[in-house]
Amino acid sequence: MNYNNENLPIAVIGAGPIGLSSAVNLLDAGLTPIIFESGDCAGSNLASWGHVRMFSPWSYNMDPKAVSLLKKQGWDEPELSAFPTGSELLECYVLPLASHEKVAPHLHLNTRVVNVSRQYHDILRNEMRERAPFVVRVSNPEGDRDILVQAVIDASGTYQTPNWLGAHGIPAIGELTASQSITYGVPDILGSCNKQYAGKSVLVIGGGHSAFNALQDLVKLSDQTDGMRVLWGIRGSSVDNIVRSPKNDELQERRSLEVHIQKLLDEGKIEVFTNIAIEKINCENDKLIVKSHSSQLPPVDKIIAATGFRPNLQLLSELRTSIDPATQSPVNLGPLIDPNLHSCGSVPEHGAAELSHPETGLYVVGIKSYGRAPTFLLKTGYKQVKSVTSKLANQVIDDDPVANRSFSCDDVALNRSCSA
Ligand SMILES: Cc1cc2nc3c(=O)[nH]c(=O)nc-3n(C[C@H](O)[C@H](O)[C@H](O)COP(=O)(O)OP(=O)(O)OC[C@H]3O[C@@H](n4cnc5c(N)ncnc54)[C@H](O)[C@@H]3O)c2cc1C
């Protein structure tokens, strides 16, 4: 078999902020991306949490290379110190980038990648493996197709694979049966999902900022509607360990959310249940009864699972990946981001070396690269992409921060804050 891969494009899976950044960086390096996006627009995961205000400012949320590309076509740069919502990030940055004349021709919407392999090589076969092109199996309304590419950048995110409520990491008994009354992620409680929650008893599970956002909105809704009850279940023994930022926290968005949650707790607007490890969810008389090892919670109408996300590794299961057994990130990145090891969540910069797999030419970037660790920031993702694309282009970039291995106090502070 003769292989000549150089003229093949590089697949980018996902047109979120990091996938689009990958495409821009590839184009800048003279390489050709082919971007597959399962949604009907770029950034479709962002649209799901569009109502949430981000705690990192615009200056952290955009790729410098993409910004300079956009500026060339007369784009209005947002105020860099302001904090966008997910929708603002989508409308003011992601969509203009996706429709840019240099990017748009490479973007395939409504096209889901269902598998990736290597041509004529299952996972077992060694012979000339590294020279075989990748086969990307895509599915779109016209059917399934196999597309050959020279390398793969997987930036497909984690938002579509949320964690279960079950404390063992698998669904609680009864969780699947109760799924119609459970929302995973951060529903738009004051907007499009308003009717689902008005007048209801709602239990929020989770101890991160997604839970704070849901609780804040539920209390606001309960101020406007009669008969609501807002319950909060956490794993730990006290909320003090969760609503914990120092008073002089420079991250004003995070701090003000935490101060607000503390105020709502002090006012008794949220009922807190600690030491919750969900084992069972029963449906009785149209109510959900959550059973934890230590207690049974009051019956509720709805549950919001703000329990984080996990990567879809099935997509890459025919490739030789090396995955950290705990975080499910690339194995070399795992120790740098493992929340069991880093309580403060500080994450040093990293790049192609940490993101690589035994399968040459495969990189997982963006929030998916963090696996189950909750500390990912867009700013980190843009640096990952810069390193990965320069590796693919075989370039050495003098000012590559990954090579310098330095990281700023700002990065550490922001990483500490990220538990969306
Ligand atoms: C509520 C919330 C708040 C956050 N706040 C911040 C913040 O303040 N600051 C910060 O830096 N980070 C924040 N994050 C974390 C992170 O930056 C975002 O999740 C960001 O969207 C990650 O970008 P991404 O491009 O890696 O993934 P995504 O934005 O999730 O993009 C992945 C894309 O891939 C597509 N896709 C998925 N599977 C496939 C497939 N099989 N084939 C083709 N396409 C596919 C999806 O449709 C999606 O468009 C937040 C996250 C959440 C959930």
Side-chain angles (χ1 to χ4, degrees):
M1 179 65 57
N2 281 328
Y3 294 115
N4 185 3
N5 298 338
E6 275 169 24
N7 296 325
L8 295 175
I10 294 176
V12 177
I13 311 178
I18 300 301
L20 289 175
S21 162
S22 306
V24 168
N25 279 268
L26 288 171
L27 287 164
D28 193 61
L31 297 167
T32 307
I34 178 165
I35 318 159
F36 303 110
E37 167 56 48
S38 57
D40 59 8
C41 71
S44 62
N45 282 351
L46 289 181
S48 308
W49 53 271
H51 56 288
V52 176
R53 188 159 298 283
M54 300 180 75
F55 50 76
S56 56
W58 273 111
S59 57
Y60 280 76
N61 298 337
M62 299 185 291
D63 179 348
K65 224 163 233 168
V67 166
S68 60
L69 190 70
L70 286 167
K71 277 184 175 168
K72 280 184 201 142
Q73 69 169 32
W75 165 79
D76 283 333
E77 186 170 30
E79 170 54 50
L80 292 181
S81 59
F83 297 84
T85 60
S87 291
E88 286 164 349
L89 183 70
L90 180 67
E91 277 152 33
C92 304
Y93 172 69
V94 170
L95 293 179
L97 192 54
S99 58
H100 190 282
E101 62 183 14
K102 290 225 157 82
V103 177
H106 306 283
L107 175 58
H108 300 260
L109 296 174
N110 296 307
T111 306
R112 177 173 288 278
V113 174
V114 288
N115 280 119
V116 186
S117 187
R118 273 197 123 120
Q119 193 183 36
Y120 307 128
H121 287 71
D122 61 16
I123 199 167
L124 193 61
R125 187 161 183 237
N126 282 344
E127 196 190 344
M128 293 175 68
R129 183 173 189 88
E130 290 193 0
R131 298 183 58 194
F134 288 88
V135 178
V136 179
R137 168 81 44 88
V138 299
S139 178
N140 65 18
E142 280 111 57
D144 291 356
R145 264 191 320 151
D146 284 345
I147 293 168
L148 296 183
V149 296
Q150 59 168 294
V152 174
I153 299 179
D154 181 355
S156 60
T158 54
Y159 201 79
Q160 295 172 20
T161 40
N163 285 327
W164 301 107
L165 283 167
H168 315 308
I170 56 177
I173 291 173
E175 184 170 349
L176 297 173
T177 314
S179 63
Q180 284 197 328
S181 304
I182 302 170
T183 303
Y184 298 86
V186 204
D188 188 2
I189 292 160
L190 298 172
S192 58
C193 303
N194 177 295
K195 286 203 177 104
Q196 281 182 47
Y197 297 103
K200 302 275 169 53
S201 303
V202 188
L203 170 65
V204 177
I205 298 288
H209 290 83
S210 292
F212 295 176
N213 273 300
L215 289 164
Q216 167 182 259
D217 289 355
L218 285 168
V219 171
K220 214 178 257 177
L221 188 62
S222 73
D223 288 341
Q224 300 158 11
T225 24
D226 290 335
M228 274 190 77
R229 218 174 143 184
V230 181
L231 301 86
W232 185 19
I234 57 168
R235 265 197 132 141
S237 55
S238 161
V239 288
D240 296 345
N241 302 330
I242 298 173
V243 188
R244 66 179 187 279
S245 290
K247 287 205 169 60
N248 59 354
D249 191 333
E250 61 189 290
L251 295 166
Q252 58 185 81
E253 279 303 310
R254 173 178 78 151
R255 182 64 195 146
S256 56
L257 181 57
E258 291 181 358
V259 167
H260 187 58
I261 292 297
Q262 188 61 61
K263 180 170 168 283
L264 299 179
L265 289 168
D266 295 344
E267 290 169 359
K269 296 196 165 175
I270 300 170
E271 299 170 53
V272 179
F273 297 84
T274 54
N275 297 312
I276 298 303
I278 298 179
E279 290 173 333
K280 231 179 195 183
I281 301 173
N282 287 344
C283 301
E284 288 173 24
N285 304 324
D286 289 338
K287 298 275 183 191
L288 302 175
I289 318 260
V290 170
K291 294 188 177 172
S292 155
H293 66 85
S294 57
S295 53
Q296 175 170 309
L297 275 65
V300 293
D301 300 299
K302 298 273 175 197
I303 302 176
I304 295 174
T307 41
F309 303 91
R310 55 182 63 185
N312 172 2
L313 298 173
Q314 179 58 33
L315 206 63
L316 307 175
S317 60
E318 204 53 29
L319 295 175
R320 296 182 179 180
T321 54
S322 192
I323 302 291
D324 181 83
T327 58
Q328 297 188 312
S329 64
V331 73
N332 294 328
L333 182 58
L336 304 181
I337 60 172
D338 187 345
N340 293 302
L341 305 174
H342 301 279
S343 56
C344 71
S346 58
V347 176
E349 283 185 24
H350 51 271
E354 291 81 2
L355 296 166
S356 66
H357 289 277
E359 196 75 70
T360 314
L362 169 70
Y363 294 95
V364 178
V365 298
I367 196 164
K368 185 169 181 177
S369 71
Y370 271 41
R372 298 201 191 191
T375 47
F376 177 78
L377 285 175
L378 286 171
K379 193 178 181 195
T380 310
Y382 297 136
K383 288 175 178 167
Q384 291 180 337
V385 160
K386 185 177 176 190
S387 172
V388 164
T389 52
S390 57
K391 173 81 182 166
L392 286 170
N394 219 3
Q395 293 172 353
V396 179
I397 296 182
D398 288 343
D399 68 346
D400 186 345
V402 174
N404 296 332
R405 288 281 178 274
S406 63
F407 56 100
S408 72
C409 297
D410 274 1
D411 292 342
V412 174
L414 265 172
N415 274 320
R416 268 192 202 126
S417 77
C418 186
S419 54

